Amino acid sequence: MIKPGIAAAAFTTVVLLASPATAATALYGFTGSSVSGSFEITYVPNPNTGTLGTSPNTVDPVGSYIVSNITGTFSNATLGISNAAITGIVPSSPAAPDLTNLLAPRSFGFYPIVNGPPRPDGTPATGLSYDNLYYPGGSPKASSDYPFFGGVFDIYGIVFTIATDKGTRAVNFWSNGTIGGGTTYGAAVTDGQDVLDYAGDISVTAVPEPATWAMMLVGFGMIGGYARYRRRRIVFGA
């Protein structure tokens, strides 16, 4: 979910996304003023989807898939992290949300930290919310008190680990939804004790997989061949 004070990140997607019946992958690259890298996510069908809004935490949204793995590299100049290997997805740990949040997904949970962003009462949050859900067709509204939605992750997002020379760190990456005509994302890096950095101004681009490129090239070739055939027919038939 959107965290107080965490900067948003611009997100752009250019790849055609299909709904797989089995495991599939999607590759993204990202750059920003202090953050860069790329990741490939593996996502699988979600067997627990349904209509949200009657009670919290019983189903995940229709159209959601489960992120089962992630690989890639992550750099953060502010923290001195350069090309750190992304070592995997942190499994979701479902937990009870606020009972008034009827749109919270079944997979909603918290990544534990000690000194998180301040709550409304001033005490530090003890977890970063996440659900490891992926939406090829765009995420729906996922919180009763937050009106924005959209993006390949929802407002809770995913958590993955990276290996740095200072030890393992976790990165929370989520979507703030479409606000003011654009879909924005946010990211936070934590050592489990504190939130070390908020990443903003990140541009993310979906990269077609090799098989997708091959299909696109074949399609373009067929279109070009048909156009040449049509031109010949017009000339010969004149």
Side-chain angles (χ1 to χ4, degrees):
M1 188 173 184
I2 187 169
K3 288 82 174 174
I6 294 182
F11 194 103
T12 304
T13 181
V14 297
V15 68
L16 297 176
L17 295 170
S19 298
T22 58
T25 59
L27 178 63
Y28 298 91
F30 55 93
T31 59
S33 57
S34 64
V35 174
S36 63
S38 64
F39 55 75
E40 181 178 69
I41 63 170
T42 300
Y43 57 104
V44 298
N46 190 341
N48 298 299
T49 62
T51 302
L52 302 178
T54 56
S55 61
N57 230 34
T58 57
V59 293
D60 288 330
V62 173
S64 65
Y65 290 79
I66 298 170
V67 178
S68 61
N69 193 30
I70 185 170
T71 59
T73 60
F74 182 90
S75 297
N76 184 306
T78 302
L79 299 177
I81 298 172
S82 178
N83 293 320
I86 297 175
T87 52
I89 198 78
V90 175
S92 61
S93 180
D98 183 335
L99 292 178
T100 64
N101 186 3
L102 300 181
L103 297 180
R106 174 182 181 274
S107 297
F108 173 94
F110 295 99
Y111 181 81
I113 57 176
V114 177
N115 299 309
R119 298 187 180 101
D121 63 3
T123 61
T126 56
L128 298 174
S129 57
Y130 75 112
D131 55 24
N132 287 346
L133 296 179
Y134 175 68
Y135 303 84
S139 63
K141 186 177 178 182
S143 175
S144 297
D145 62 357
Y146 188 73
F148 303 105
F149 57 92
V152 296
F153 304 123
D154 58 28
I155 60 172
Y156 308 113
I158 65 174
V159 172
F160 56 86
T161 53
I162 58 175
T164 78
D165 58 1
K166 298 179 178 64
T168 299
R169 300 290 184 260
V171 178
N172 184 199
F173 197 94
W174 71 94
S175 169
N176 288 323
T178 301
I179 305 172
T183 302
T184 61
Y185 286 67
V189 181
T190 179
D191 59 0
Q193 177 76 22
D194 302 295
V195 175
L196 303 176
D197 186 56
Y198 303 127
D201 301 322
I202 301 172
S203 175
V204 182
T205 303
V207 181
E209 301 282 357
T212 304
W213 276 117
M215 292 176 63
M216 292 171 64
L217 291 173
V218 170
F220 292 149
M222 292 177 65
I223 292 171
Y226 179 72
R228 289 192 296 273
Y229 172 73
R230 287 283 297 170
R231 284 198 298 272
R232 285 199 300 271
R233 287 197 61 185
I234 292 171
V235 171
F236 295 154

